[in-house]
Structure formats: C-alpha cells, structure tokens
Amino acid sequence: MKKKLVCILLCAVMLVGCLMSTGCSLTSGDATSTDTSGTENQSATRTSMTLSLWVPTDESTTEEALYLVEAAINSVTQSEFDTAVKLYGIPANEYDAVMKDRLATIEQRVIEEEEEAKRKRQEQIEAAQRGETLVEETTEYVNPNMDGDYSLVVRGATGYTNLERNQLDIFLVHGMDDYKHYVDNLYIQNLNEEFSGSSKILNNYIYTDFIEAVRTSDGGVYAVPNNHAVGEFTYFLVNKDIVESEYLDPATLTSLESCKGLINDIATYYPGVVPVYGEYSPSYYQYWNGTGAVNTFSVLASRIYDTTPIEKVTFDNIFSYSNFTDNYYLYKTFKEKGYVSTSATVPEKFGVGYITCTAEEIEKYADDYHITVFKKPMGSAADYTQGMFAVSTYSKSVARSMEIITLLNTSTELRTILQYGVEGTHWKYDEENPDIIVKLDTSKSEADITYKMNLFDTGNVYMTYPDFGVSRDEWQSSKDQNLESYLPATYYFLANKNEAGDGPIYLNDDNKALFKSLDALSASIYARMEAMTAEEFKAAIPTLKMEVDKADAFNKLIYVPSSSDQALNRTEENGWLPTASIAHQWIQYCISVYGEETYNNIMNAG
C-alpha cells in the first residue's frame, strides 16, 4: 500500500425484537435540509473537544490525502460544534479485525488501570497509617497513537486537546454478527436518548425500517444505519405492442395465469418473439430448512406478504398452496413447449417475463412493456446492517459524537468531504450542473487515486453524489424503492444465528436431526419434481402432499402441544418436543412481542 496508511492497531445473541414494522413508513429518507436543530447549544460554556472517527478506506489512499480530508472535515466541525475530528483510515480488508482488537485492548487496559489505581490508593492509605507520605513517580507521557502495529496519522488540531489514551469515539460496524458482538460485549452505546433528543432529526432522514431493523431485544438502538437502497423488485412484464395488436386490456394481464392464452398466441403468431423470459419463482414464499436459506426449496413453507402480521404466519406443507402448485405446473408446461428462455442476456423481444432488478434499472423497459410489481423488495439483516456508525463505550462524549454522525446523515457538505475528498483538490462542481461533481486529476488510473472510499461506509448515501459525473437526481428511484421495501414478519426471528453459531436461530439440539431429515426429503422431492413432465407433476401433487404430511420430521417441526397429545401418543419419549417445533417457537416469539393476554385475544378474535 502506498505510503502506508496511518492506522493504529490497538489492537449477545440478540433476541428477537419487540417491534415489528412492515414497510418504510416514516420518510423517504431524502430530506435535503441540513438543519441540525436540537443539537447541543453553541454556548460560551461549551468546551473544545477532539473526537476520533475511524473508517475503512482503500489501500491506495495516502497519508497526505487523509491529512487534507481531515482538515476539511475540521473546517466544518470546529465552526459548527467546536469539535476537532481525528480521521483514522484503515485498509478495508483489515478494518473489522482492527476495531475489534482495539476495543478489546482498551477494555483490558481500563481494567488494568483501575486495578493499578486501587493498588496505589491502598499504598497511600498504608503509608499514611505509618506517618509517611508517598511521592508519586513521574511517568513519561505515552503517545496513545503509537502502541500498535501501524503508525497513525496524528496531527492535532491547533487549540484542541490530544486524544486520550483509552479514547475511541465513532467507528463503523459491518453486519449483524459484528453488531451483536459489540452489543453483547458492551462496546457500544445505547443511542435511544439521542434519537429522541439531540439527534432526533435523524428520524427524518433515515428510513424507519433501518432504525427498527437494528433495535435489540432491550429496545435499544446501538448504531445509526447508513441509508441505501434495500433489496430488489421482481417485476412481471408484458409486451405493449402485442397487447395492443391483440386488443387486450393490460390491466388484466398481471400474472402467468392471466397471460396463458396470450403466451400460446405469441408462440403461434409472433415468430422472433420469445414467449416467456426469465425464471419463475413463486412470490412471497419463505422456506424453512436447517440452513436458514429462506429461498432454498423446502417442503415446509410459509407465505408471507409485505403486510402479513406476525400472528398470521403459518407453517405449511408447500403442496397445500394451490398458488404454488398451479404456477409451477403452468411454468413447466411452457418450458416443455420451448416457450421459455432463461438466458442471462435479455432477448430483444419477449412476450411476458420476470425480471429482478432495482426500480431504476426497470425504467429501461417502460417504453416497450407494461410493468407490474410481482414481488416487493424484502429487507434483510444484510441490507440494514451493511454499514452503521456507532459510538464506542470509550467515547469522550456520546452527545458530541452523535453530532458528527448526524451531520454525516444530514449534511451534503460533510458527507461529500468524507466520501470524495476535498473540493478543489480531489473534485470540483460541474460547470454546467452544480448538482454534479467531477473528479480532478483524471490522468491517474484507479490504482493511483490517492483518496478512495466505499460509498456505503461513509454515511447516508442520499446526502452525497452517486459517483463522479452523476447527478444526485439519480437517487430518486432508489428512494422510491425503499418506500416500497418492507421488513418481513420473520425479520427479527431470523436476524441472528443460534447460540451455537452453527445455524439459524430456530435450529437447536432438539431439532437438528429433524431438519437434517426434512432437508433430505425436500431435496429428494424437488429433484423428482424437476425430472417430471408437467402432467406427471400435476398428477403427483396429491401423492407429494401426502408424503410430506406423513413425514415424521415435518410433523414434529410443526407440532403445537394440545390436549389430544396423550391420545395420539405424542410424548417427549417419542420425540414430540415443543422446543423442537419451529411452529411452537414462533408462537412463543409472538407472545414475547404482544404479551400472552394480548396475543390470545388476537388469536381468539380470528
């Protein structure tokens, strides 16, 4: 790495949450005001402070570039908050390990220093009892930024204090597993007071689902997620020219079933047009298996829409859903007739098709196709926790740290400095469009760029530019997409691994063997389904359903204790364990959310 980046190496299972949110219901996440009302009042009593900001960066980033960016950040934060910021850039491939090690090191150091302080105090007491006075030895100042495997960019802002030896303020958290690690080890601060107080403006800039997706079982939000597009749509497209020539009503052509006659006509009368394009996958199904892969076929499934409340989630035999069996059969018949193309390259013309992409990408089809949303973007833990700013337990000030984080989520100025560098050095505004920035020193190759950051690691993406030469207007479809995205009813139930860390949260010692058996059955049945002709599959549906219904693993995984258990010989000795049942686990989850009385009232009301 060029002029090695100066970075220092001081170097609980989160239970299902108590808030369920279906869809982004607060704002579009694109507020443009940089108002920071509610932040700490700039008064004469406010003291100067230095905070640290730790971010991952590209290996090509140089020390000189970090100096310049740090100075530009300070030109904003010092005048705004009387806060100096030390910017620490760590190579992205080392970042997560460095932060974990640094926090663990500080924790150990704090413990040791507290023990040392107690020891000295005890010595002073004992000396006083003997009529002696201890003279404290003068210790040499230890630079807090020189005790790692790397050197660190350290140029203190004029008039501002140095960082304290055990101080770590703002840093980025990647993913749910790391978030869980930091929360469980008490390394990061609960930010609820900030979200309701001095940083409440964040609620107008960050989509509600992002905030709720990182809320833990104690109701706390311990990090500020960085806004970005969530998931992808799956669209159903129908050729406009063909619909018009066939004098059909496009409003009635929104599914494979409703286009059945049209598809046959296209195959007969429209040579050169692919009748059906794309892979059909039934919408809003979640499969349950021992791996937690919700899109991997299983005979145990739930159909969960974007509006499905948690008490309406059921665990069913996949062959009990006529929507699944009818459409699987129909798609198979079209494949047998040679009507279907699943090529990675989209045909020049097709009759109907399934395309999974973003709201922005689908626009290129709008002139030629009627477009219907087949499935809305479903948010996942990987989406919402991709990058989050947290305040360390060892921060000098939570409130002052949150002021910086708030600006990175609400201020285009600060957000753009951290992402793209210094105006006039790394970039400038486009002469014809001030809503576009262009890169300076274009003679350099990508490998020679001296300051390079990941767009998703530096704050709310909507507050800065999508890229050099790209207008911020390009974010609009992404913002609209997030308004359509949703947290599935099962989100909190699946957000973490189990205590053993070897599978989804519902996998335990009581049901591992059951899921192994179920997964084997699912794989066997799916292979047989794929090998069948369409008519063979249609004829086999009752048999397949019965095979699943009779499977011991299936029945024990959907088992819910009842008064008839003894008569049916459903005893613990025979392996009928409530703790093994995913259906029973789900009921307990619902009770934990609503409370038992409310949950029972909901269920009794139907």
Side-chain angles (χ1 to χ4, degrees), residues 94-107:
E94 303 172 19
Y95 181 84
D96 294 332
V98 167
M99 298 315 301
K100 288 177 183 176
D101 192 55
R102 180 177 177 86
L103 284 161
T105 300
I106 293 177
E107 178 184 37

Side-chain angles (χ1 to χ4, degrees), residues 36-51 76-85 159-161 170 194 198-199 396-407:
T36 54
S37 59
T39 56
E40 187 174 333
N41 187 25
Q42 304 294 308
S43 67
T45 59
R46 187 180 180 93
T47 59
S48 299
M49 185 177 291
T50 302
L51 300 176
V76 176
T77 62
Q78 289 180 31
S79 62
E80 186 83 11
F81 304 122
D82 198 15
T83 301
V85 172
Y160 287 83
T161 58
I170 305 164
E194 309 304 319
S198 61
S199 293
K396 184 76 171 176
S397 169
V398 176
R400 298 282 282 268
S401 294
M402 281 298 292
E403 289 174 343
I404 307 302
I405 294 175
T406 299
L407 272 194

Side-chain angles (χ1 to χ4, degrees), residues 107-248:
E107 178 184 37
Q108 183 59 35
R109 186 186 293 153
V110 168
I111 292 172
E112 291 172 355
E113 289 175 356
E114 289 176 349
E115 291 176 349
E116 178 65 11
K118 289 179 182 178
R119 184 189 66 78
K120 286 184 177 181
R121 179 58 181 156
Q122 184 62 36
E123 288 180 351
Q124 290 172 344
I125 293 172
E126 292 173 356
Q129 290 172 344
R130 296 192 301 268
E132 301 174 0
T133 301
L134 293 181
V135 178
E136 188 171 344
E137 296 180 3
T138 301
T139 56
E140 184 180 354
Y141 171 72
V142 178
N143 188 331
N145 302 312
M146 296 299 292
D147 57 351
D149 293 344
Y150 298 89
S151 62
L152 187 69
V153 175
V154 181
R155 288 187 181 178
T158 303
Y160 287 83
T161 58
N162 291 326
L163 293 172
E164 297 177 2
R165 188 165 182 257
N166 295 329
Q167 181 180 344
L168 191 155
D169 300 291
I170 305 164
F171 71 104
L172 195 78
V173 178
H174 285 128
M176 185 60 80
D177 287 346
D178 279 4
Y179 184 55
K180 170 186 175 296
H181 169 80
Y182 291 127
V183 171
D184 287 352
N185 286 283
L186 307 180
Y187 286 149
I188 54 180
Q189 304 269 7
N190 187 327
L191 303 177
N192 281 10
E193 287 189 15
E194 309 304 319
F195 269 100
S196 62
S198 61
S199 293
K200 62 185 177 183
I201 193 172
L202 288 172
N203 295 296
N204 296 330
Y205 283 81
I206 300 174
Y207 290 89
T208 304
D209 284 356
F210 277 80
I211 298 172
E212 294 308 316
V214 301
R215 194 178 297 279
T216 63
S217 60
D218 65 358
V221 173
Y222 290 81
V224 180
N226 293 339
N227 265 359
H228 59 275
V230 169
E232 290 183 308
F233 286 96
T234 296
Y235 296 97
F236 185 69
L237 288 72
V238 183
N239 190 293
K240 284 183 177 180
D241 288 342
I242 296 176
V243 168
E244 184 177 350
S245 66
E246 294 291 321
Y247 302 102
L248 298 173

Side-chain angles (χ1 to χ4, degrees), residues 258-311:
S258 63
C259 291
K260 183 165 54 176
L262 174 62
I263 292 168
N264 286 316
D265 286 345
I266 292 170
T268 304
Y269 303 112
Y270 292 87
V273 177
V274 174
V276 180
Y277 172 70
E279 289 280 1
Y280 166 75
S281 179
S283 63
Y284 299 104
Y285 284 91
Q286 177 168 309
Y287 300 111
W288 301 96
N289 49 57
T291 65
V294 297
N295 294 318
T296 299
F297 177 83
S298 173
V299 294
L300 176 56
S302 302
R303 197 163 197 211
I304 304 171
Y305 296 92
D306 56 312
T307 56
T308 301
I310 60 174
E311 70 273 10

Side-chain angles (χ1 to χ4, degrees), residues 17-65:
C18 296
L19 284 169
M20 291 305 303
S21 170
T22 54
C24 274
S25 58
L26 182 60
T27 75
S28 64
D30 64 340
T32 56
S33 166
T34 56
D35 172 34
T36 54
S37 59
T39 56
E40 187 174 333
N41 187 25
Q42 304 294 308
S43 67
T45 59
R46 187 180 180 93
T47 59
S48 299
M49 185 177 291
T50 302
L51 300 176
S52 59
L53 172 60
W54 297 74
V55 291
T57 190
D58 191 84
E59 287 193 352
S60 65
T61 299
T62 62
E63 291 184 3
E64 288 80 2

